[in-house]
Amino acid sequence: MKWSEFFVTGEPLIYAADVSIVLTAIGIVFVLTYFKKWKWLWNEWLTTVDHKKIGVMYIISAVLMLFRGGVDALLMRAQLTVPNMKFLDSQHYNEIFTTHGTIMIIFMAMPFIIGLMNIVVPLQIGARDVAYPYLNALSFWLFFVGAMLFNIAFVIGGSPDAGWTSYFPLASKEFSPGVGNNYYAVALQISGIGTLMTGINFLVTILKMRAPGMTLMRMPMFTWTILITCVIIIFAFPVFTVALALMTFDRLFDTQFFTMANGGMSMLWANLFWIWGHPEVYIVVLPAFGIFSEVVSTFARKRLFGYKAMVFSIVGIAFLSFLVWVHHFFTMGAGAAVNSFFSITTMAIAIPTGVKIFNWLFTLRKGKIRFTTAMLWSLAFIPNFVIGGVTGVMLAMAAADYQYHNSYFLIAHFHYVLIAGTVFACFAGLHYWYPKMFGHILNERLGKWTFWLFMIGFNICFFPMYFLGLMGMTRRMYTYSAGLGWTPLNVVATVGAALMGIGFIVLCYNIYYSARYGERDMTGDPWDGRTLEWATSSPVAHYNFAIIPEVTDLDAYWVMKKTGKGLEIDEEKLKPIHMPSNSGRPFLISIAFFFAGFGLVFEWYTMAIIATIFIILGLILRSFDDDDGYYISVDEIKRTERLARKGA
Amino acid sequence: MAEVAHHYDEKMPLEYRTEESRLNILGFWIFLGAEVALFATLFATYLVLFQRTGHGPTAMELFKVKEVMIETLLLLTSSFTCGLAIHEMRRNRLKGLLTWLIITLLLGAGFITFEIREFIDYVHEGATIQTSAFLSSFFVLVGTHGAHVSLGIGWMILIIIQLLQRGFTPRTARKVFIVSLYWHFLDVVWIFIFTLVYLTGMVI
Ligand code: HEM
Ligand SMILES: [Cu+2]
């Protein structure tokens, strides 16, 4: 391979990106060196096994990826604003919609959710950490290097360009000869391994580490949704692992899985992809439902309405989510019987979803509602998500889908469910749990600015797309001619996208502003919360709970506050707390994964093999490692607790 | 987290005595659930593609009864000896445990040797992973199983070394137990490969 092919050349935008990447890197190194922060970075973050810090790192990465995916989105909107635009050529446009979709789902939505669940779930169940803290760190770092590998594609070697669904035969070596699609196959594989391990980790954590008295039916709703999400991850991600592996073999070793000749079957890819892909959309939306449930019940000051019905509906949704994948290709000619079956299963998902919508509405009914930022996101979610759901049911009618399929109608549908569902939930959760992460509150006034800008912008951007779709505009087209009458709605959509961008900037400013001037949370319970995470101090002590609380009912902390039992810490009862030791190995193993992946992408097998040897070495060292962790002494716990109480 | 890593429960088998071990064993069962999904996908792929032989040979023309029977015998026996190893562990006999583990490992290595020979034979007959969709899916399905067995062998060697260094501890006992779960699981997968791939392939 020539150097001129190694680095992407020829585009002014790319050169600008090169420069900014180099400058940012130099800047980071400079700041760390100047403030002598390298050691801090290593000890406090790179080697940590603390679920709260890992959660924070997930969220920081997710916000960065939201920025990257958002820039992609704005570039696409700029190109589509007016007909015959010459801003991006077709190849560049293909690359951008591919990276946008992949990054938003895999490297933004999922990590954001996983970050929140890392921080919150152990606190909600009254645990001191997750089941496997070391594995948790490894999960994070694998996700992180997967994301980095995917993100360098556009400057080194070239971006993938066959869509986030990467259908064959387009994604084959024959039609996509560059390294771009190798990046897709390898980077998603690496981060997918991390996700699978997270699924196992949190399933065991929730099943085995709940505080005494917390039966399954006393678990907070967010924890319930995470439990079910983990089950979906465990059964869906292996399918993706296999699909990506077969894609890698087809591209690197000329196997014949999805080829056009020698018996290959390209539709097999579409099936495998969506057998994972549809459950995947529920992996990102079920936790969102959980977040809204917590926020709605806290700020309506009421117990969640229909708790049991909520639980049964998430279980129902999870089950059905594995039985609907064909609705993504009704038009591929599977026949009337098959299409009817999947049409009905798809529509059936609307039933449990509808049950949940009514439960939120009834929770709000007669509640003493406080319109905090987190609550605004949750209230806006309900009508916006319903628009997405209703249009989903329209798409589910197989016969009608021949008209809607792959048009902007579909684009509008899934943005209405993903943004109004997952993204709104991430913002709601961020505002809601921010004091637990950093000890101060995100400024409410700025938060509301973000909310209104983003929410209105979102509707201005995506609502017109339903009509563009009905007018015949298909997805993934990089330009259109003037006579089609699509111009006005496209202009409107771009304006909306710009508003969303401004909303995001206000959010970033808010993070900075609140860090400097934000109100400190001295109580640990700024929202008058109901679940156990609010029983801890803000920010949370390393060991979470000095004494593990006893749970007697749903909304455990609320009950404690009402009865006054269990709030005080009896210093007599303190015992030394066992904690796991930090380890740099997850980070180092993941670096080796990065190089192994990079070697595979460029088919530099020597590099891949050497890096793999390092991975195996890391695993062997882990096997022989018998570090039993350490104990936090009673004295230290007393000191920490007194300090935290003094603030109150 | 291993909050009570050092609280022993003397009535349980050694591998279940610490909280950490109980968590790890449950986690491994769940991991095996994910492995079931992984192999199910590979089987589904194989079943979809197995009659799509292109210009290459069909299953009936290719498969050889003798080698496959030997492989099957070796692996099934190794699962049995692995069970004997756990039996010895439960009776606190380190030497018996080590002996049966090493026998298991050798049988596994024998299985892998025969499998590699089988693959080389096919390649010499012109049936490579690139020849047809059928062969791609065959090599990847059976090869993934073979890779798992090889990994299991390496893992067992590490555990044997730790047993020699440290003897019976709740931790080594748990590791032996988990690797045995893994080994039996691979045996079950092989039974499916044997029936769905080889037996079916030799008649249809
Ligand atoms: C009432 C519930 C829902 C129904 C009935 C439904 C139905 C559908 C149908 C039929 C399609 C395929 C349309 C086509 O390609 O022509 C589709 C696409 C899609 N849906 Fe939904 N959906 C629902 C909820 C959701 C949720 C909750 C999410 C995510 C959070 C989601 C995300 C997506 C995505 C990402 C696509 C398209 C992906 C692509 O082709 O790139 N949907 N939906
Ligand atoms: Cu779907």
Side-chain angles (χ1 to χ4, degrees), chain A residues 124-199:
Chain A
Q124 279 199 332
I125 63 175
R128 289 196 174 125
D129 207 325
V130 295
Y132 320 115
Y134 177 93
L135 195 68
N136 201 20
L138 188 57
S139 294
F140 168 74
W141 287 111
L142 286 180
F143 144 70
F144 186 79
V145 300
M148 289 304 114
L149 192 61
F150 192 83
N151 270 278
I152 59 168
F154 82 111
V155 286
I156 298 180
S159 283
D161 55 1
W164 85 282
T165 51
S166 280
Y167 275 12
F168 278 82
L170 179 60
S172 67
K173 191 139 198 176
E174 195 181 348
F175 297 105
S176 301
V179 295
N181 276 70
N182 297 352
Y183 271 114
Y184 176 95
V186 174
L188 297 195
Q189 187 71 282
I190 293 174
S191 73
I193 300 170
T195 308
L196 179 62
M197 296 190 316
T198 301

Side-chain angles (χ1 to χ4, degrees), chain A residues 49-85:
Chain A
V49 294
D50 179 349
H51 69 96
K52 301 177 287 294
K53 286 187 176 165
I54 290 175
V56 168
M57 292 194 289
Y58 265 116
I59 291 176
I60 293 173
S61 321
V63 172
L64 283 175
M65 289 297 109
L66 181 57
F67 173 73
R68 159 79 206 263
V71 170
D72 284 346
L74 291 175
L75 291 175
M76 285 190 286
R77 279 319 314 165
Q79 167 65 19
L80 289 180
T81 315
V82 290
N84 299 317
M85 186 79 164

Side-chain angles (χ1 to χ4, degrees), chain A residues 89-99 160-163 476 478:
Chain A
D89 61 27
S90 62
Q91 173 59 24
H92 202 170
Y93 191 83
N94 290 349
E95 293 176 4
I96 289 181
F97 73 65
T98 302
T99 51
D161 55 1
R476 295 176 179 169
Y478 85 106

Side-chain angles (χ1 to χ4, degrees), chain B residues 28 35 148 151-152 155 178-186:
Chain B
F28 198 78
E35 287 271 62
H148 273 71
L151 203 92
W155 186 8
I178 288 181
V179 85
S180 80
L181 288 180
Y182 184 73
W183 200 261
H184 293 310
F185 168 76
L186 292 180

Side-chain angles (χ1 to χ4, degrees), chain A residues 128 130-132 208-209 234 238-239 253-257 262-265 268 272 578 580 623-624 626 628 631, chain B residues 1-3 6 23-24 26-27 30 34 38 41 45 48 52 129-133 136-137 140 162 166 171 175:
Chain A
R128 289 196 174 125
V130 295
Y132 320 115
K208 285 287 165 198
M209 297 175 64
I234 288 161
V239 182
F253 311 132
D254 300 314
T255 53
Q256 309 286 346
F257 289 103
N262 301 318
M265 194 198 250
L268 182 61
L272 293 179
H578 179 262
S623 177
F624 280 90
D626 47 7
D628 274 327
Y631 280 89
Chain B
M1 191 210 47
E3 201 229 317
H6 304 291
L23 289 179
N24 285 10
L26 176 66
I30 296 171
L38 183 120
T41 314
T45 305
V48 165
R52 302 173 71 100
I129 195 168
Q130 292 148 350
T131 310
S132 66
S136 299
S137 60
V140 170
Q162 291 175 21
R166 301 166 196 179
R171 180 173 275 161
K175 288 188 179 186

Side-chain angles (χ1 to χ4, degrees), chain A residues 486-507:
Chain A
W486 300 344
T487 316
L489 289 180
N490 270 305
V491 173
V492 173
T494 303
V495 172
L499 284 180
M500 293 168 83
I502 299 172
F504 177 74
I505 293 173
V506 177
L507 174 72

